[in-house]
Amino acid sequence: MIQTTNGKKLWAVGGGKGGIGKSIFTLGLAISLAHLGKKVILMDADLGGANLHTLMGVRYPAHTLEDFLLKRVENLEDIVLDTQIAGIGLICGADDILGAANPTYSQKIRVLGQIESLPADFVLLDLGAGTSYNTLDFFNYSPGKIAVFTSQATSLQNVYGFLKNSLFRKISREFPKDEYVLWLLYQSGSKSPEVKVESINDLLTHLQRKDEYRHEELLQLLRDFQVLLVVNMIKTDRDFQAAQIIQHVSHRFLELAPQVLGHLHYDQAVEQAVNQMVPFPLNADKSRAAEELKDIAQVIIDKFAPPPSLREAVDQKEEEAAAGGSWSSFWRRAPA
Ligand SMILES: Nc1ncnc2c1ncn2[C@@H]1O[C@H](COP(=O)(O)OP(=O)(O)O)[C@@H](O)[C@H]1O
Ligand SMILES: [Mg+2]
Protein backbone atom coordinates (compact mmCIF):
# COMPACT_ATOMS: atom_id res chain seq x y z
CA MET A 1 0.00 0.00 0.00
CA ILE A 2 1.53 3.30 -1.13
CA GLN A 3 2.07 5.90 1.58
CA THR A 4 0.48 9.18 0.60
CA THR A 5 2.93 12.03 0.24
CA ASN A 6 2.81 15.49 -1.28
CA GLY A 7 1.19 15.86 -4.67
CA LYS A 8 3.48 15.86 -7.66
CA LYS A 9 3.01 17.31 -11.12
CA LEU A 10 6.38 16.59 -12.70
CA TRP A 11 7.37 12.93 -13.04
CA ALA A 12 10.48 11.39 -14.52
CA VAL A 13 10.66 7.79 -15.65
CA GLY A 14 14.13 6.26 -15.66
CA GLY A 15 15.69 2.87 -15.18
CA GLY A 16 19.26 2.83 -16.39
CA LYS A 17 18.87 0.15 -19.04
CA GLY A 18 17.59 0.52 -22.59
CA GLY A 19 14.82 -1.64 -23.99
CA ILE A 20 13.10 -2.37 -20.69
CA GLY A 21 9.97 -0.36 -21.40
CA LYS A 22 10.58 3.15 -20.04
CA SER A 23 9.02 4.79 -23.08
CA ILE A 24 6.20 2.28 -23.35
CA PHE A 25 5.38 2.81 -19.70
CA THR A 26 5.58 6.62 -19.83
CA LEU A 27 3.37 6.78 -22.89
CA GLY A 28 0.92 4.21 -21.50
CA LEU A 29 0.71 6.11 -18.23
CA ALA A 30 0.05 9.37 -20.09
CA ILE A 31 -2.74 7.77 -22.13
CA SER A 32 -4.28 6.19 -19.05
CA LEU A 33 -4.16 9.51 -17.14
CA ALA A 34 -5.73 11.27 -20.15
CA HIS A 35 -8.51 8.67 -20.27
CA LEU A 36 -9.19 9.48 -16.64
CA GLY A 37 -9.70 13.13 -17.57
CA LYS A 38 -6.25 14.54 -16.88
CA LYS A 39 -4.22 16.81 -19.14
CA VAL A 40 -0.76 15.47 -19.66
CA ILE A 41 2.36 16.77 -21.37
CA LEU A 42 4.85 14.11 -22.33
CA MET A 43 8.42 15.16 -22.86
CA ASP A 44 10.96 12.99 -24.58
CA ALA A 45 14.05 13.57 -22.46
CA ASP A 46 15.96 10.76 -24.16
CA LEU A 47 18.40 13.24 -25.66
CA GLY A 48 20.11 11.71 -28.64
CA GLY A 49 17.88 8.61 -28.72
CA ALA A 50 14.50 10.25 -28.95
CA ASN A 51 11.77 7.92 -30.20
CA LEU A 52 8.68 8.72 -28.18
CA HIS A 53 7.16 10.47 -31.19
CA THR A 54 7.53 7.25 -33.19
CA LEU A 55 5.66 5.31 -30.52
CA MET A 56 2.97 7.98 -30.82
CA GLY A 57 2.75 7.56 -34.57
CA VAL A 58 4.31 10.95 -35.38
CA ARG A 59 6.76 10.60 -38.27
CA TYR A 60 8.01 14.15 -38.73
CA PRO A 61 7.65 16.31 -35.64
CA ALA A 62 6.99 19.97 -36.46
CA HIS A 63 9.01 21.09 -33.43
CA THR A 64 11.47 19.39 -31.13
CA LEU A 65 13.29 20.27 -27.96
CA GLU A 66 16.14 21.38 -30.18
CA ASP A 67 14.10 24.44 -31.25
CA PHE A 68 13.89 25.48 -27.64
CA LEU A 69 17.47 24.59 -26.70
CA LEU A 70 18.83 26.56 -29.64
CA LYS A 71 16.50 29.45 -28.78
CA ARG A 72 14.54 29.29 -32.02
CA VAL A 73 11.51 29.52 -29.75
CA GLU A 74 11.31 31.34 -26.45
CA ASN A 75 8.80 29.26 -24.50
CA LEU A 76 8.84 25.55 -23.87
CA GLU A 77 5.07 25.61 -24.18
CA ASP A 78 5.41 26.70 -27.81
CA ILE A 79 6.99 23.40 -28.85
CA VAL A 80 4.23 21.26 -27.32
CA LEU A 81 2.62 19.40 -30.19
CA ASP A 82 -1.00 18.43 -30.15
CA THR A 83 -1.44 14.68 -30.60
CA GLN A 84 -4.08 12.28 -31.84
CA ILE A 85 -4.98 11.60 -28.21
CA ALA A 86 -7.23 14.14 -26.53
CA GLY A 87 -5.57 15.56 -23.45
CA ILE A 88 -2.00 14.71 -24.39
CA GLY A 89 0.59 17.19 -25.62
CA LEU A 90 4.04 16.05 -26.74
CA ILE A 91 7.47 17.64 -26.59
CA CYS A 92 9.67 15.70 -28.98
CA GLY A 93 13.28 14.99 -28.09
CA ALA A 94 16.29 16.62 -29.64
CA ASP A 95 18.53 14.88 -32.15
CA ASP A 96 22.25 14.75 -31.93
CA ILE A 97 22.88 17.47 -34.49
CA LEU A 98 24.32 20.77 -33.32
CA GLY A 99 25.07 19.26 -29.94
CA ALA A 100 21.50 19.65 -28.72
CA ALA A 101 21.59 16.11 -27.38
CA ASN A 102 24.17 17.23 -24.89
CA PRO A 103 22.81 20.49 -23.53
CA THR A 104 24.96 22.84 -21.55
CA TYR A 105 24.17 23.52 -17.94
CA SER A 106 22.45 26.82 -18.80
CA GLN A 107 20.35 25.16 -21.52
CA LYS A 108 19.27 22.53 -19.04
CA ILE A 109 18.36 25.16 -16.45
CA ARG A 110 16.25 26.89 -19.11
CA VAL A 111 14.28 23.67 -19.68
CA LEU A 112 13.90 22.90 -16.00
CA GLY A 113 12.92 26.49 -15.23
CA GLN A 114 9.87 26.25 -17.50
CA ILE A 115 8.94 22.64 -17.20
CA GLU A 116 6.87 22.69 -14.08
CA SER A 117 4.71 25.60 -15.18
CA LEU A 118 3.64 23.90 -18.41
CA PRO A 119 -0.15 23.95 -18.69
CA ALA A 120 -1.04 20.39 -17.69
CA ASP A 121 -2.12 18.36 -14.70
CA PHE A 122 0.90 16.10 -15.12
CA VAL A 123 4.18 16.46 -16.98
CA LEU A 124 5.92 13.14 -17.66
CA LEU A 125 9.57 12.89 -18.69
CA ASP A 126 10.70 9.83 -20.60
CA LEU A 127 14.40 9.50 -19.78
CA GLY A 128 17.07 7.83 -21.85
CA ALA A 129 19.15 4.84 -20.87
CA GLY A 130 22.40 5.16 -18.97
CA THR A 131 23.46 7.46 -16.18
CA SER A 132 24.67 10.58 -17.96
CA TYR A 133 24.51 13.73 -15.85
CA ASN A 134 21.67 15.08 -17.96
CA THR A 135 19.55 12.03 -17.31
CA LEU A 136 20.35 12.04 -13.60
CA ASP A 137 19.62 15.77 -13.33
CA PHE A 138 16.21 15.43 -14.96
CA PHE A 139 15.45 12.55 -12.61
CA ASN A 140 16.67 14.41 -9.53
CA TYR A 141 14.85 17.60 -10.44
CA SER A 142 11.50 15.80 -10.75
CA PRO A 143 9.54 15.45 -7.51
CA GLY A 144 7.92 12.30 -8.95
CA LYS A 145 10.53 9.61 -9.59
CA ILE A 146 9.66 6.30 -11.23
CA ALA A 147 12.20 3.56 -11.89
CA VAL A 148 11.19 0.92 -14.44
CA PHE A 149 12.99 -2.39 -14.68
CA THR A 150 12.50 -6.05 -15.48
CA SER A 151 13.46 -9.11 -13.47
CA GLN A 152 16.50 -9.76 -15.68
CA ALA A 153 19.76 -9.63 -13.74
CA THR A 154 21.18 -6.98 -16.07
CA SER A 155 18.16 -4.74 -15.59
CA LEU A 156 18.31 -5.16 -11.80
CA GLN A 157 21.98 -4.27 -11.85
CA ASN A 158 21.39 -1.20 -14.03
CA VAL A 159 18.41 0.12 -12.13
CA TYR A 160 20.31 -0.15 -8.89
CA GLY A 161 23.26 1.66 -10.50
CA PHE A 162 20.87 4.30 -11.79
CA LEU A 163 19.39 4.92 -8.32
CA LYS A 164 22.82 4.96 -6.72
CA ASN A 165 24.25 7.39 -9.27
CA SER A 166 21.20 9.63 -9.00
CA LEU A 167 21.48 9.73 -5.24
CA PHE A 168 25.24 10.35 -5.26
CA ARG A 169 24.79 13.15 -7.78
CA LYS A 170 22.03 14.62 -5.64
CA ILE A 171 24.22 14.54 -2.54
CA SER A 172 27.23 16.04 -4.31
CA ARG A 173 25.06 18.85 -5.69
CA GLU A 174 23.35 19.57 -2.39
CA PHE A 175 26.62 19.57 -0.46
CA PRO A 176 28.86 21.19 -3.10
CA LYS A 177 31.08 23.01 -0.64
CA ASP A 178 31.27 20.32 2.00
CA GLU A 179 34.72 18.86 1.44
CA TYR A 180 34.17 16.15 4.03
CA VAL A 181 30.94 14.80 2.45
CA LEU A 182 32.55 14.88 -1.01
CA TRP A 183 35.60 13.11 0.36
CA LEU A 184 33.40 10.41 1.92
CA LEU A 185 31.56 9.94 -1.38
CA TYR A 186 34.91 9.60 -3.10
CA GLN A 187 35.99 6.97 -0.56
CA SER A 188 32.96 4.87 -1.40
CA GLY A 189 34.15 4.51 -4.98
CA SER A 190 37.86 4.26 -4.26
CA LYS A 191 39.73 0.96 -4.70
CA SER A 192 41.99 1.77 -1.75
CA PRO A 193 39.81 3.87 0.58
CA GLU A 194 41.23 5.64 3.60
CA VAL A 195 38.04 4.93 5.55
CA LYS A 196 35.39 2.29 4.92
CA VAL A 197 32.34 3.77 3.15
CA GLU A 198 30.49 0.81 1.71
CA SER A 199 27.03 2.21 2.12
CA ILE A 200 25.18 5.45 2.78
CA ASN A 201 24.81 4.21 6.32
CA ASP A 202 28.61 4.16 6.69
CA LEU A 203 28.68 7.70 5.31
CA LEU A 204 26.02 8.82 7.78
CA THR A 205 27.96 7.28 10.67
CA HIS A 206 31.14 9.20 9.75
CA LEU A 207 29.21 12.39 9.19
CA GLN A 208 27.36 12.18 12.49
CA ARG A 209 30.66 12.08 14.37
CA LYS A 210 31.91 15.15 12.58
CA ASP A 211 28.88 17.39 11.97
CA GLU A 212 25.49 16.74 13.56
CA TYR A 213 23.80 19.46 11.50
CA ARG A 214 25.03 18.12 8.16
CA HIS A 215 24.06 14.63 9.27
CA GLU A 216 20.49 15.79 9.82
CA GLU A 217 20.49 17.53 6.43
CA LEU A 218 21.56 14.35 4.71
CA LEU A 219 18.88 12.36 6.51
CA GLN A 220 16.31 14.85 5.22
CA LEU A 221 17.66 14.54 1.67
CA LEU A 222 17.28 10.75 1.91
CA ARG A 223 13.71 11.06 3.20
CA ASP A 224 12.85 13.40 0.31
CA PHE A 225 14.37 11.10 -2.31
CA GLN A 226 11.23 9.08 -2.88
CA VAL A 227 11.31 6.62 -5.74
CA LEU A 228 8.44 4.49 -6.99
CA LEU A 229 9.15 1.14 -8.63
CA VAL A 230 7.50 -0.48 -11.64
CA VAL A 231 8.42 -3.99 -12.71
CA ASN A 232 7.81 -4.48 -16.42
CA MET A 233 7.49 -7.56 -18.64
CA ILE A 234 6.35 -9.88 -15.87
CA LYS A 235 6.08 -13.43 -17.21
CA THR A 236 5.89 -15.59 -14.09
CA ASP A 237 5.09 -14.98 -10.44
CA ARG A 238 8.77 -15.17 -9.61
CA ASP A 239 9.33 -11.96 -11.56
CA PHE A 240 7.48 -10.01 -8.88
CA GLN A 241 10.46 -10.62 -6.60
CA ALA A 242 12.44 -8.12 -8.68
CA ALA A 243 10.78 -5.28 -6.76
CA GLN A 244 11.73 -6.79 -3.41
CA ILE A 245 15.33 -7.20 -4.54
CA ILE A 246 15.57 -3.51 -5.47
CA GLN A 247 13.83 -2.49 -2.25
CA HIS A 248 16.28 -4.60 -0.27
CA VAL A 249 19.48 -3.30 -1.86
CA SER A 250 18.20 0.29 -1.86
CA HIS A 251 17.61 0.03 1.85
CA ARG A 252 20.76 -1.90 2.64
CA PHE A 253 23.21 0.28 0.69
CA LEU A 254 21.46 3.58 -0.02
CA GLU A 255 19.19 4.09 3.00
CA LEU A 256 16.28 4.55 0.58
CA ALA A 257 12.82 3.04 0.92
CA PRO A 258 11.35 2.91 -2.58
CA GLN A 259 7.70 1.91 -2.76
CA VAL A 260 6.16 -0.30 -5.42
CA LEU A 261 3.87 1.65 -7.74
CA GLY A 262 2.81 -1.35 -9.81
CA HIS A 263 3.79 -3.83 -12.49
CA LEU A 264 3.08 -4.63 -16.12
CA HIS A 265 2.89 -8.12 -17.49
CA TYR A 266 4.61 -9.04 -20.70
CA ASP A 267 1.85 -8.51 -23.22
CA GLN A 268 1.91 -9.21 -26.96
CA ALA A 269 -0.50 -6.33 -27.45
CA VAL A 270 2.39 -3.98 -26.61
CA GLU A 271 4.61 -5.35 -29.36
CA GLN A 272 1.78 -5.30 -31.88
CA ALA A 273 1.09 -1.66 -31.04
CA VAL A 274 4.76 -0.73 -31.47
CA ASN A 275 4.96 -2.48 -34.83
CA GLN A 276 1.81 -0.79 -36.05
CA MET A 277 2.89 2.62 -34.70
CA VAL A 278 -0.30 2.85 -32.68
CA PRO A 279 0.28 4.34 -29.22
CA PHE A 280 -0.27 1.63 -26.62
CA PRO A 281 -2.85 1.07 -25.13
CA LEU A 282 -4.98 3.16 -27.49
CA ASN A 283 -6.47 0.26 -29.47
CA ALA A 284 -5.86 -2.39 -26.84
CA ASP A 285 -7.60 -1.11 -23.73
CA LYS A 286 -8.85 -4.58 -22.79
CA SER A 287 -5.38 -6.09 -22.73
CA ARG A 288 -3.76 -7.08 -19.47
CA ALA A 289 -1.00 -4.46 -19.61
CA ALA A 290 -3.63 -1.77 -20.36
CA GLU A 291 -5.58 -2.73 -17.23
CA GLU A 292 -2.40 -2.57 -15.18
CA LEU A 293 -1.53 0.87 -16.57
CA LYS A 294 -5.00 2.06 -15.67
CA ASP A 295 -4.52 0.87 -12.09
CA ILE A 296 -1.20 2.71 -11.88
CA ALA A 297 -2.72 5.93 -13.30
CA GLN A 298 -5.48 5.71 -10.71
CA VAL A 299 -2.96 5.35 -7.89
CA ILE A 300 -1.10 8.42 -9.15
CA ILE A 301 -4.31 10.44 -9.26
CA ASP A 302 -5.49 9.22 -5.84
CA LYS A 303 -2.21 9.50 -3.99
CA PHE A 304 -0.22 12.13 -5.86
CA ALA A 305 -2.59 14.70 -7.34
CA PRO A 306 -0.58 17.91 -7.77
CA PRO A 307 -1.09 20.64 -5.19
CA PRO A 308 -3.47 23.48 -6.12
CA SER A 309 -0.64 25.97 -6.66
CA LEU A 310 0.67 23.86 -9.54
CA ARG A 311 -2.79 23.56 -11.03
CA GLU A 312 -3.18 27.31 -11.21
CA ALA A 313 -1.41 27.58 -14.56
CA VAL A 314 -3.89 25.16 -16.12
CA ASP A 315 -6.93 26.76 -14.52
CA GLN A 316 -5.89 30.26 -15.47
CA LYS A 317 -5.23 29.36 -19.08
CA GLU A 318 -8.54 27.54 -19.30
CA GLU A 319 -10.33 30.58 -17.95
CA GLU A 320 -8.60 32.83 -20.45
CA ALA A 321 -9.50 30.50 -23.29
CA ALA A 322 -13.12 30.25 -22.14
CA ALA A 323 -13.32 34.04 -21.95
CA GLY A 324 -12.12 34.25 -25.55
CA GLY A 325 -8.71 35.57 -24.54
CA SER A 326 -5.77 35.68 -26.87
CA TRP A 327 -4.23 32.50 -25.53
CA SER A 328 -4.37 29.80 -28.16
CA SER A 329 -4.38 26.48 -26.37
CA PHE A 330 -2.04 23.90 -27.78
CA TRP A 331 -4.75 21.38 -26.96
CA ARG A 332 -6.64 22.82 -29.86
CA ARG A 333 -3.77 23.15 -32.28
CA ALA A 334 -3.65 21.08 -35.40
CA PRO A 335 -2.39 17.53 -34.82
CA ALA A 336 1.32 17.00 -35.32
N1 LIG B 1 4.94 -5.00 -21.06
C1 LIG B 1 5.48 -5.30 -22.24
N2 LIG B 1 5.08 -6.40 -22.93
C2 LIG B 1 5.61 -6.71 -24.12
N3 LIG B 1 6.58 -6.01 -24.72
C3 LIG B 1 7.04 -4.91 -24.09
C4 LIG B 1 6.53 -4.50 -22.84
N4 LIG B 1 7.17 -3.35 -22.48
C5 LIG B 1 8.06 -3.10 -23.45
N5 LIG B 1 7.98 -4.02 -24.43
C6 LIG B 1 8.81 -4.12 -25.65
O1 LIG B 1 10.09 -3.57 -25.37
C7 LIG B 1 10.47 -2.66 -26.39
C8 LIG B 1 11.32 -1.57 -25.78
O2 LIG B 1 10.51 -0.74 -24.98
P1 LIG B 1 10.86 0.80 -24.81
O3 LIG B 1 9.76 1.39 -24.00
O4 LIG B 1 11.16 1.44 -26.10
O5 LIG B 1 12.20 0.67 -23.94
P2 LIG B 1 13.11 1.83 -23.34
O6 LIG B 1 12.40 3.11 -23.45
O7 LIG B 1 13.35 1.41 -21.92
O8 LIG B 1 14.39 1.78 -24.12
C9 LIG B 1 9.14 -2.16 -26.96
O9 LIG B 1 9.31 -1.78 -28.29
C10 LIG B 1 8.24 -3.35 -26.83
O10 LIG B 1 8.36 -4.17 -27.98
MG1 LIG C 1 12.92 4.89 -24.47
Side-chain angles (χ1 to χ4, degrees):
M1 186 69 183
I2 297 251
Q3 303 283 318
T4 306
T5 54
N6 296 331
K8 301 171 201 312
K9 171 175 173 177
L10 176 62
W11 293 78
V13 180
K17 194 171 179 340
I20 44 96
K22 295 181 297 299
S23 299
I24 288 289
F25 172 78
T26 317
L27 173 60
L29 177 61
I31 294 175
S32 306
L33 286 168
H35 284 167
L36 291 166
K38 300 296 170 189
K39 287 185 174 169
V40 184
I41 291 179
L42 267 172
M43 183 171 125
D44 194 338
D46 186 348
L47 305 177
N51 58 13
L52 196 54
H53 59 283
T54 312
L55 292 177
M56 293 203 75
V58 178
R59 277 177 205 274
Y60 305 106
H63 293 289
T64 72
L65 197 55
E66 193 179 287
D67 295 316
F68 178 76
L69 292 174
L70 300 180
K71 296 199 177 171
R72 286 188 211 117
V73 296
E74 205 44 51
N75 300 313
L76 196 54
E77 187 185 332
D78 293 338
I79 57 165
V80 179
L81 305 177
D82 211 354
T83 71
Q84 55 174 304
I85 306 155
I88 298 188
L90 173 69
I91 297 180
C92 293
D95 283 327
D96 213 0
I97 46 169
L98 301 175
N102 198 11
T104 61
Y105 185 70
S106 64
Q107 283 177 317
K108 200 162 48 190
I109 293 298
R110 216 171 135 241
V111 176
L112 294 177
Q114 293 193 23
I115 212 164
E116 221 167 349
S117 49
L118 284 169
D121 296 304
F122 293 99
V123 177
L124 308 184
L125 305 183
D126 175 24
L127 301 182
T131 55
S132 73
Y133 283 165
N134 285 325
T135 302
L136 300 181
D137 287 344
F138 278 125
F139 191 68
N140 282 341
Y141 184 83
S142 303
K145 297 176 172 50
I146 298 177
V148 178
F149 52 100
T150 72
S151 64
Q152 277 208 317
T154 45
S155 174
L156 295 175
Q157 192 178 25
N158 286 8
V159 77
Y160 173 71
F162 175 72
L163 294 178
K164 180 178 170 181
N165 279 303
S166 301
L167 180 63
F168 276 39
R169 172 119 174 123
K170 179 92 180 168
I171 296 173
S172 60
R173 290 204 78 104
E174 301 269 322
F175 295 84
K177 296 202 174 76
D178 191 316
E179 300 277 333
Y180 187 61
V181 170
L182 298 179
W183 180 76
L184 288 171
L185 280 179
Y186 177 78
Q187 298 303 311
S188 76
S190 167
K191 286 211 169 70
S192 48
E194 293 170 50
V195 295
K196 183 175 102 86
V197 185
E198 289 177 352
S199 65
I200 292 291
N201 193 31
D202 288 348
L203 196 149
L204 282 165
T205 308
H206 288 295
L207 193 58
Q208 191 172 26
R209 283 192 210 121
K210 178 134 176 144
D211 188 335
E212 184 64 43
Y213 180 73
R214 280 293 152 96
H215 175 257
E216 191 48 50
E217 275 190 335
L218 180 54
L219 282 177
Q220 188 58 44
L221 182 152
L222 294 166
R223 280 194 287 272
D224 291 344
F225 200 90
Q226 294 167 5
V227 179
L228 297 177
L229 307 178
V230 173
V231 188
N232 189 20
M233 303 206 214
I234 299 251
K235 286 183 179 150
T236 71
D237 284 352
R238 280 192 58 189
D239 294 335
F240 287 107
Q241 289 172 9
Q244 287 156 17
I245 293 169
I246 295 306
Q247 283 180 311
H248 175 75
V249 291
S250 300
H251 185 249
R252 164 79 180 78
F253 297 105
L254 306 178
E255 295 298 309
L256 297 178
Q259 301 187 73
V260 179
L261 176 61
H263 57 262
L264 293 188
H265 273 83
Y266 179 86
D267 192 332
Q268 297 235 315
V270 175
E271 288 202 356
Q272 278 165 13
V274 174
N275 290 336
Q276 290 162 8
M277 275 182 83
V278 177
F280 183 83
L282 212 54
N283 291 349
D285 57 350
K286 296 281 177 289
S287 67
R288 192 172 194 179
E291 293 292 339
E292 291 165 331
L293 279 166
K294 207 185 299 167
D295 291 344
I296 291 174
Q298 194 63 58
V299 171
I300 289 195
I301 290 172
D302 292 346
K303 306 280 183 182
F304 303 101
S309 62
L310 291 178
R311 264 209 57 89
E312 271 167 21
V314 189
D315 294 341
Q316 198 190 335
K317 300 233 162 171
E318 278 175 358
E319 272 169 31
E320 282 169 23
S326 59
W327 184 63
S328 65
S329 164
F330 68 81
W331 306 110
R332 268 170 247 121
R333 260 184 235 150

